[in-house]
Amino acid sequence: MTRHVDAGELRTRITVYDLPRDEKGEVLRDDDGYPAQEPVNVFGPGGRSCKWEDAWGSQVYAARQAGVTDPATLTLRYTPRITTTCIIYRGRDPRPYEVISVRDIGDRHAWMEVKVQRKEAAK
């Protein structure tokens, strides 16, 4: 099922960070096998716009039981740059979200959904 999103719904600015990759999409690593560099902003200055929908109802209760806070679903124009290894920042909020899943809506490379969440700090 394809989801219709109007451009006017893409109101939330996000910044996406990921480890640098080579032309094959592999993470660049040093001689010891560790990532060679710090994460980089994959879209550069300005980031991207998306439709941000916070989870609600039973989704929130299930997430809290799993130690997850702030689950949300982002809908935006398709890009292969967002993967499950990315970290996303919403607007100017300094607390990152981790990407849980990425879905190409209808496998058309037009729109995508990204599920994000934050983990609760250990008590």
Side-chain angles (χ1 to χ4, degrees), residues 3 51-55 59 71-75 113-116:
R3 180 174 294 184
K51 178 180 177 183
W52 188 286
E53 296 177 273
D54 292 314
Q59 290 178 324
T73 301
L74 288 56
T75 305
E113 279 185 340
V114 179
K115 298 275 187 185
V116 298

Side-chain angles (χ1 to χ4, degrees), residues 9 20-21 23 26 32 35-36 38 40 45 54 56 58-59 68 70 82 84 86 88 93 95 98 102 104 113 119 123:
E9 294 180 281
R21 297 176 181 276
E23 59 279 347
E26 300 291 324
D32 296 325
E38 292 294 316
V40 295
D54 292 314
W56 58 280
S58 61
Q59 290 178 324
V68 171
D70 303 328
I82 298 178
T84 56
C86 291
I88 294 179
D93 188 343
R95 299 170 300 153
E98 62 180 315
V102 177
D104 178 2
E113 279 185 340
K119 294 274 185 170
K123 295 180 181 179

Side-chain angles (χ1 to χ4, degrees), residues 3-41:
R3 180 174 294 184
H4 179 76
V5 178
D6 292 322
E9 294 180 281
L10 306 178
R11 295 184 184 137
T12 304
R13 297 299 291 175
I14 60 171
T15 308
V16 182
Y17 286 87
D18 198 4
L19 294 172
R21 297 176 181 276
D22 63 17
E23 59 279 347
K24 295 178 187 174
E26 300 291 324
V27 172
L28 297 175
R29 299 193 177 276
D30 64 17
D31 293 336
D32 296 325
Y34 293 101
Q37 298 176 355
E38 292 294 316
V40 295
N41 182 339

Side-chain angles (χ1 to χ4, degrees), residues 62-83:
R64 289 240 166 98
Q65 287 178 342
V68 171
T69 61
D70 303 328
T73 301
L74 288 56
T75 305
L76 64 152
R77 296 188 193 284
Y78 177 82
T79 175
R81 293 182 183 180
I82 298 178
T83 67

Side-chain angles (χ1 to χ4, degrees), residues 80-110:
R81 293 182 183 180
I82 298 178
T83 67
T84 56
T85 62
C86 291
I87 298 295
I88 294 179
Y89 291 88
R90 179 182 185 181
R92 295 177 188 212
D93 188 343
R95 299 170 300 153
Y97 287 83
E98 62 180 315
V99 175
I100 302 308
S101 66
V102 177
R103 182 172 77 101
D104 178 2
I105 299 173
D107 293 320
R108 294 182 168 191
H109 293 357

